[in-house]
Amino acid sequence: MKLGQRILLFYFLILGLLGWFVLDLVFDRVKPLVRQSAEETLVDAANLLAEMVAVEAKDGAVVVTPQLREALNRYAGRTPDADIWGMKKVAIHTHVYITNPKGIMLFDSRGRDEGQDFSLWNDVYLTLQGRYGARTTRTDPADPSTSVMYVAAPIRHEGQLIGVISLGKPGRSLSPFVDRAERALLIYGGGVLLLCLLLGGVLAFWLSRRVNLLRHYAEAVASGERVAPPQLKGKDEIRALAESVTAMRRRLEDRARLEDNVTLLTHEMKSPLAAIRGAGEILADEVRDPALQRFTENVVHESVRLSDLLDRLLAMARLEKLESLPAQRARVAAASLVADWQASRYALLAEKSVSVAVEDQVINVEPETFQLALFNLLDNALRFAEPNSVIRVHGDGHQLCVENRGPAIPDYALSRVTERFYSLPAPGQGKSSGLGLAMVQEIVQLHGGELIVENTDAGVAVTLILAP
């Protein structure tokens, strides 16, 4: 699924859930709010009628005179023909009845229950107790739509409770208002949801378009094409990312050009150097003059040194192009690698009378690159080791330490010894190429580890900490 589609889907899901929650909450409140409004109106109307009925009271008792009965019946039979916010009201749906202080019905606008005892109905019972009386009753217990809400008001004469008047409002008369409110909520809610969906689609399209421009640019750069950076308007993270990709591309191109030039130059220099070295070795055999011998030996020595430098530069260039280890790791015996190094450096070890002590351990590494790192460390340790000393190689399965006895590294140089082309002169020798420890650090980083160089009481210890 594309990014824009995912954004739109999650946006719609979140918006839909939020809309459903809000509408569900509002729908749950619509009916109670309509009922509360109707109840408040009934309270006012009941108290108004209670005062009108109290006017007809005689001898402290409610009297339903023919005039009052006729007026209430005319009220029940009215056709108001009212337009209430678009809803037509053509009949009076309010049920009115009056009881005496004992709860006996004296008047019923429906003409059915006069003379009946209503003293146990909540609206009458609570009002006779001096409290607010109200009830809701279904005419058909199995049908919720037949419920009728009753609100009562006390009829008083000279401060004395002489009866109760109760007004009933059928729930069906309120249903049109509830239904209209729910329809309006659905229409407006659906419209808002659709509008938000459209806005979300525009946002998803905008983001997807910017990301696609950046993706096409990155793909073109990866394939080696020389393309212009995408022109993105506005200042946001995508534009910042595009600028970062452009800056990275330029730096990588500069670095690639430099590496290619170094590799080409190194290859081109190896053949002339081999010829110079060969010529120097031939001259050394033919020259008998001590002064000329020194010159020819210097030519051979420096050509060897340059050849070694070129080999290291090529190895360094190959390492820098690696993004990860070229092969799977394997368990390698450190003693075996050290033995191979000793065999190749036999003459140098004998010249300085330096021996090697190695602990028998197995480490999990990529063999070829790790051998290159270990040989560089041992060469460096031998170069600075004191005559008649011992180079110690020890550690465990996740780290390897090469320790020699010799001059300490000055404090100012400790943080720089892994820099390229930075080197310190060994006793009685000149500076090296300065690529050995830089190469070791590159290999350790490919292994996901860390290189630690530190002085000890007698010399220097270099530790390779490898990721498990």
Side-chain angles (χ1 to χ4, degrees):
M1 186 180 291
K2 294 183 178 179
L3 176 63
Q5 294 173 338
R6 291 184 180 182
I7 293 174
L8 185 60
L9 176 61
F10 282 108
Y11 176 80
F12 183 72
L13 286 176
I14 293 172
L15 190 63
L17 288 173
L18 180 62
W20 174 82
F21 176 77
V22 172
L23 288 177
D24 185 66
L25 180 64
V26 172
F27 283 153
D28 285 344
R29 297 296 299 164
V30 167
K31 289 182 180 179
L33 286 173
V34 172
R35 290 178 60 86
Q36 290 167 12
S37 298
E39 184 175 349
E40 192 270 342
T41 303
L42 286 177
V43 169
D44 289 349
N47 280 276
L48 173 62
L49 291 177
E51 292 298 328
M52 295 177 64
V53 172
V55 172
E56 303 293 335
K58 291 183 179 179
D59 301 326
V62 175
V63 177
V64 180
T65 64
Q67 295 83 358
L68 177 60
R69 181 181 297 274
E70 183 180 354
L72 291 176
N73 286 329
R74 287 199 307 270
Y75 162 73
R78 273 180 169 269
T79 55
D81 194 23
D83 188 349
I84 305 174
W85 297 92
M87 299 291 294
K88 286 290 186 179
K89 182 176 177 63
V90 295
I92 299 295
H93 300 103
T94 305
H95 176 208
V96 182
Y97 63 82
I98 303 172
T99 69
N100 62 18
K102 295 182 179 180
I104 304 301
M105 186 178 291
L106 302 177
F107 171 79
D108 180 7
S109 62
R110 295 183 302 189
R112 295 187 309 186
D113 296 318
E114 291 183 10
Q116 298 293 322
D117 185 0
F118 270 57
S119 62
L120 297 181
W121 291 101
N122 267 350
D123 55 334
V124 177
Y125 175 78
L126 293 174
T127 304
L128 292 175
Q129 298 293 321
R131 294 183 287 171
Y132 170 60
R135 67 178 169 97
T136 299
T137 304
R138 295 180 184 180
T139 56
D140 181 356
D143 186 0
S145 66
T146 62
S147 63
V148 181
M149 177 176 57
Y150 287 93
V151 171
I155 302 173
R156 299 182 185 276
H157 180 71
E158 296 180 354
Q160 183 179 359
L161 180 63
I162 61 173
V164 173
I165 185 168
S166 187
L167 275 62
K169 190 76 170 177
R172 286 176 177 169
S173 67
L174 303 177
S175 295
F177 298 95
V178 174
D179 294 340
R180 185 178 66 172
E182 290 180 346
R183 283 196 303 271
L185 285 172
L186 283 174
I187 292 172
Y188 286 117
V192 170
L193 186 62
L194 180 60
L195 177 62
C196 291
L197 181 60
L198 291 175
L199 292 176
V202 173
L203 175 63
F205 172 77
W206 181 73
L207 287 174
S208 180
R209 181 177 176 275
R210 292 169 72 83
V211 171
N212 283 330
L213 286 174
L214 181 58
R215 179 175 62 85
H216 293 320
Y217 173 63
E219 289 174 349
V221 171
S223 63
E225 300 178 22
R226 297 186 63 84
V227 293
Q231 300 298 319
L232 300 175
K233 296 181 180 180
K235 295 182 178 180
D236 56 11
E237 290 81 357
I238 297 179
R239 179 175 176 178
L241 180 59
E243 293 173 351
S244 299
V245 170
T246 302
M248 180 180 68
R249 166 199 172 185
R250 290 169 180 164
R251 293 191 64 182
L252 289 175
E253 287 175 346
D254 293 341
R255 180 174 177 177
R257 280 194 293 268
L258 178 61
E259 289 176 351
D260 291 341
N261 290 336
V262 169
T263 303
L264 178 62
L265 179 62
T266 303
H267 278 293
E268 292 297 325
M269 289 178 65
K270 287 182 72 69
S271 296
L273 274 175
I276 293 172
R277 178 179 177 181
E281 289 174 348
I282 293 172
L283 286 174
D285 292 337
E286 299 294 332
V287 171
R288 297 291 179 265
D289 186 342
L292 291 177
Q293 282 184 342
R294 283 196 302 273
F295 285 130
T296 55
E297 288 173 358
N298 189 49
V299 169
V300 173
H301 178 269
E302 291 302 322
S303 64
V304 171
R305 182 168 171 270
L306 278 174
S307 181
D308 178 65
L309 175 60
L310 293 178
D311 289 338
R312 288 175 180 267
L313 283 172
L314 285 173
M316 194 72 184
R318 286 195 297 270
L319 287 172
E320 287 178 340
K321 289 182 179 180
L322 294 177
E323 294 181 356
S324 59
L325 294 176
Q328 295 294 329
R329 294 191 183 192
R331 296 176 66 80
V332 177
S336 175
L337 294 178
V338 174
D340 291 341
W341 176 81
Q342 285 180 280
S344 64
R345 307 295 192 271
Y346 175 78
L348 294 175
L349 288 168
E351 182 181 346
K352 296 185 71 171
S353 299
V354 172
S355 60
V356 181
V358 56
E359 293 181 359
D360 188 15
Q361 59 175 308
V362 177
I363 48 180
N364 188 33
V365 293
E366 196 283 313
E368 185 178 347
T369 55
F370 187 78
Q371 182 186 40
L372 179 60
L374 181 58
F375 278 28
N376 273 283
L377 282 184
L378 291 170
D379 285 341
N380 215 48
L382 176 59
R383 186 166 173 265
F384 286 92
E386 293 179 353
N388 303 307
S389 63
V390 178
I391 297 175
R392 301 188 181 278
V393 181
H394 58 88
D396 55 34
H398 299 306
Q399 67 180 30
L400 187 72
C401 179
V402 176
E403 188 175 352
N404 74 341
R405 191 178 71 191
I409 301 174
D411 291 340
Y412 67 86
L414 266 176
S415 60
R416 300 191 58 193
V417 291
T418 56
E419 294 180 10
R420 288 187 219 176
F421 306 112
Y422 185 85
S423 66
L424 297 171
Q429 304 178 45
K431 291 185 177 182
S432 67
S433 64
L435 289 173
L437 286 179
M439 198 178 304
V440 173
Q441 173 133 307
E442 194 77 26
I443 293 170
V444 171
Q445 288 176 349
L446 284 172
H447 280 79
E450 181 183 5
L451 177 67
I452 299 176
V453 182
E454 56 190 349
N455 291 319
T456 63
D457 294 338
V460 175
V462 181
T463 305
L464 306 179
I465 301 176
L466 305 174

